[in-house]
Each structure stands twice: as structure tokens, then as C-alpha cells.
Amino acid sequence: MVLKSSKSLLGEDWFRSFCSFRINPKLFLDKKKLTRDGFCLDVLKDLYLEHVEIQYKIHLLLLLQENSCLLITDYNLLEQVVGSLVNLCNILGTKSDKRLLKNQTLVTIVTILLSQNLDTSKLVAEVKVLLLKVIYNNLEDSTTLSTACKCLEELEEFFPGAVFPKIMLKFHLKDDSEISPFASHLLEFLPFMTHISAHRILRDLIYIVKYTPELSPTKTFKLYLQNLMLSSDTALIHLAFDLLDAFHSDLFSVQDEKFLLNN
């Protein structure tokens, strides 16, 4: 586990330095004459180096992950760290030899966001979009898909429903052919979300479809409508009534409406 170059942050005997940091991070920074910001930026720089081994990079990510509250105390640095790690995931792509590094990068991003006392809503939405891209990429390794799903589940539990507005902003509500596939993907995730998350996403989606003539309520909601009407959860049943109020016969057949009103 020895690097061929001493120009990296932790030096040639990087595992010893890794252990030293874990034992006493503040003492390590003092000896290296590094600020917390400087340490984080050096970590990000090393993650992009080509000549260092993947295990070294994974251990750097672990240091960020385990000490994010100590190292990251202002939003600008948080934004820079998360943005750089997201970019790293995109660069790594779907290469099988990079999957361990990509998996750890995803876990580190989510752990950092969950550990912060800062307002992370904007960053959370961006990371959720990244995770959805990974999940719906047929070329991704199965372990990476599993990691992305678990990360998305964690974010959704702590920050319910934050992803949908970001997707709408990204695509600027251009037309039905672009929005409908993403709406369908989100609806597929609803059974795995908390009821609060599902309620928030559907309310936003109802509003968007109602006031965007190019979007079809039937294409967007029809497949999920029956699940709503048969739900035992009060919040989701109310959403079925919201859909009825918003779209009437554009979405509901006569039989659907009778079933809902008499249920």
C-alpha cells in the first residue's frame, strides 16, 4: 500500500498518515500546518490524480466522510466539496474497475449532506438527480445501482420530495415528450418513499400538469391512479381526490369516479 509518489496529501506511507489522522485529526492538521479548508481541497485534488491507487482515494473519502462536521463548517466549502465529488462520479462513468471508488464517492456525498447543520436543500436536490441518473443508466454495475438506491432512500427519508422541483427546473417544462419519462420514473419510486414524500411530490406534479397544457394528465397519472384509490393511507387517498378535482374526466372514467366517491 505504498504510493510511488510523495506528492500526495498523505505522502508515501499514506496508510500510516491515514491512521494518524483518524486518531487525532486536529493534531494531524497542526503538524502538517494545514487549515481545514486546505485539507479538504488537497483531498479533492488527490482524488483526481491518475498516479495514485484507488484504495488510497477510497481512504481519503473515508476521512472526509467520518470528519465532515469537523472539516466542513461553511456553505461555500460544502458546495465546493459536494460539487467536486459529483463531478468525480460523472468522470468515473460506468468503468467496472472504478466502481468501488464511485460507490464510496456516492456514500461520502450523502453522508456529508446528512451530517451538516447548514441549509443543504439545493445540494440535496442536485445529488438526488445524480442518483436517479445512475439508477436509470442500464450500463451501471449492479453494485453501483444498489449503492445509488440506498443513498437515494437515505436522502428521501431525511429530505422528502426534494428531487422533483429540481428536475422540472432542469428541463424547463419544455414539452410532454421530455417530462413524461421523468414523471414516470418518479412515480415508480413512490411505493418506496414515505407517505409524506409521496404526498409532496404528487402535489407538485398535479400543479405542474394542471397548468402546463402540453402535459397529459392521463399519460402522467393513469397508471398510478388505481394504487392511490386503493391505498389505506389517508394522505394518499386525499391525493386521489385532488386529482379528481384537478382533472375530472380528463383523467377519471365514470367508473373510476364512482369507485372513489363510494369507497
Side-chain angles (χ1 to χ4, degrees), residues 3 32 37 40 45 48 104 112 156 160 206 210 213 226 235:
L3 290 172
K32 291 281 188 178
D37 290 17
C40 289
K45 180 184 70 176
Y48 283 84
Q104 184 57 55
I112 289 173
E156 191 59 37
I206 289 170
K210 182 177 181 179
Q226 187 175 13

Side-chain angles (χ1 to χ4, degrees), residues 53-66:
E53 57 188 298
I54 288 180
Q55 280 301 317
Y56 169 68
K57 295 181 179 181
I58 289 175
H59 280 72
L60 284 179
L61 289 168
L62 288 173
L63 291 183
L64 275 184
Q65 178 179 320
E66 295 171 356

Side-chain angles (χ1 to χ4, degrees), residues 70-224:
L70 169 68
L71 296 171
I72 305 172
T73 56
D74 70 85
Y75 184 81
N76 288 335
L77 180 59
L78 174 65
E79 187 175 38
Q80 190 167 358
V81 169
V82 172
S84 182
L85 295 180
V86 168
N87 184 60
L88 179 63
C89 284
N90 291 327
I91 291 175
L92 292 173
T94 58
K95 299 176 183 177
S96 59
D97 61 326
K98 305 288 187 179
R99 65 180 181 274
L100 291 178
L101 179 58
K102 187 169 184 176
N103 291 348
Q104 184 57 55
T105 304
L106 292 174
V107 172
T108 298
I109 292 171
V110 171
T111 303
I112 289 173
L113 290 175
L114 295 181
S115 66
Q116 292 296 313
N117 292 321
L118 303 167
D119 180 8
T120 59
S121 55
K122 177 176 177 289
L123 296 175
V124 166
E126 292 175 358
V127 171
K128 283 190 175 183
V129 171
L130 168 68
L131 294 171
L132 285 172
K133 285 171 60 179
V134 172
I135 291 168
Y136 284 99
N137 187 343
N138 294 329
L139 299 178
E140 287 286 3
D141 180 83
S142 60
T143 60
T144 304
L145 292 176
S146 176
T147 300
C149 286
K150 290 178 181 177
C151 287
L152 185 61
E153 184 179 357
E154 286 290 315
L155 284 181
E156 191 59 37
E157 183 175 348
F158 282 86
F159 305 97
V163 66
F164 192 76
K166 181 65 179 180
I167 289 179
M168 292 298 102
L169 179 62
K170 181 178 179 181
F171 287 90
H172 303 291
L173 293 175
K174 288 183 179 178
D175 57 60
D176 185 42
S177 63
E178 288 188 354
I179 298 300
S180 291
F182 284 91
S184 298
H185 291 334
L186 286 173
L187 291 173
E188 288 175 13
F189 270 102
L190 291 181
F192 304 101
M193 298 179 185
T194 63
H195 290 156
I196 294 175
S197 303
H199 185 272
R200 177 176 173 179
I201 288 176
L202 279 176
R203 285 299 299 271
D204 288 344
L205 187 53
I206 289 170
Y207 178 86
I208 290 167
V209 173
K210 182 177 181 179
Y211 293 102
T212 307
E214 295 83 3
L215 298 180
S216 165
T218 301
K219 288 183 179 179
T220 307
F221 296 111
K222 192 65 175 180
L223 290 176
Y224 193 70

